[in-house]
Amino acid sequence: MAFRYFVPALIWGILILFAVSMPPDRIPALKFFIIPHFDKLVHIGMFLVFAFLACFGFYSQNKNGIMHRKYLSLALLVSLLISLFSELLQHFFLIFRIASFFDFIANLIGTIFGVVLFGILLKIKPKFFRV
């Protein structure tokens, strides 16, 4: 297994967990981002990137291995586990954060978008993903 291909997803996953662990008053409020449910768009974006990077990590493994063949399923599974962990972390361990089912749904939507985007780009530009 070539761990180096998972480093971007790992770093992004740590950033996600750091972001959801921040107290709400420490998150800067920007006037032009006063959009209803803007936080859900942020969740979608964070998990879109994570799922995309996870797809790349699994896809870049040995071409005959199970991780390469099942890269979409594995990326979905890992992304959903990170999403679930982030919500459980907020629910059980962070007194200043609240877990939300709708955040989990937004994470799921971002995950699906990330996996689909990777699949589309792989079909359009397969040479870009050859390692």
Side-chain angles (χ1 to χ4, degrees):
M1 179 169 78
F3 180 75
R4 69 181 178 270
Y5 298 115
F6 290 111
V7 170
L10 180 65
I11 291 170
W12 191 257
I14 291 169
L15 288 173
I16 287 173
L17 293 176
F18 178 74
V20 301
S21 299
M22 289 178 58
D25 60 344
R26 303 284 309 263
I27 300 171
L30 302 172
K31 296 273 186 211
F32 56 91
F33 285 132
I34 307 295
I35 300 170
H37 306 292
F38 181 74
D39 66 312
K40 303 306 180 253
L41 294 175
V42 171
H43 281 267
I44 290 170
M46 287 190 311
F47 278 87
L48 183 151
V49 172
F50 182 79
F52 187 90
L53 294 173
C55 280
F56 177 75
F58 287 116
Y59 183 80
S60 299
Q61 298 306 306
N62 180 351
K63 304 302 179 214
N64 297 321
I66 192 165
M67 281 196 252
H68 176 78
R69 290 189 316 247
K70 301 286 186 181
Y71 73 95
L72 291 174
S73 301
L74 290 168
L76 272 170
L77 177 65
V78 168
S79 297
L80 291 176
L81 289 174
I82 293 291
S83 175
L84 182 63
F85 177 74
S86 73
E87 294 304 318
L88 291 175
L89 177 72
Q90 291 177 65
H91 183 72
F92 290 111
F93 298 106
L94 302 173
I95 58 173
F96 46 81
R97 300 293 296 200
I98 299 171
S100 167
F101 176 73
F102 295 107
D103 286 350
F104 181 76
I105 295 300
N107 298 346
L108 174 62
I109 292 168
T111 295
I112 292 168
F113 283 170
V115 169
V116 168
L117 178 64
F118 187 86
I120 290 170
L121 290 177
L122 186 62
K123 290 202 185 297
I124 294 172
K125 294 276 188 188
K127 290 183 181 181
F128 183 75
F129 297 103
R130 301 286 181 233
V131 287

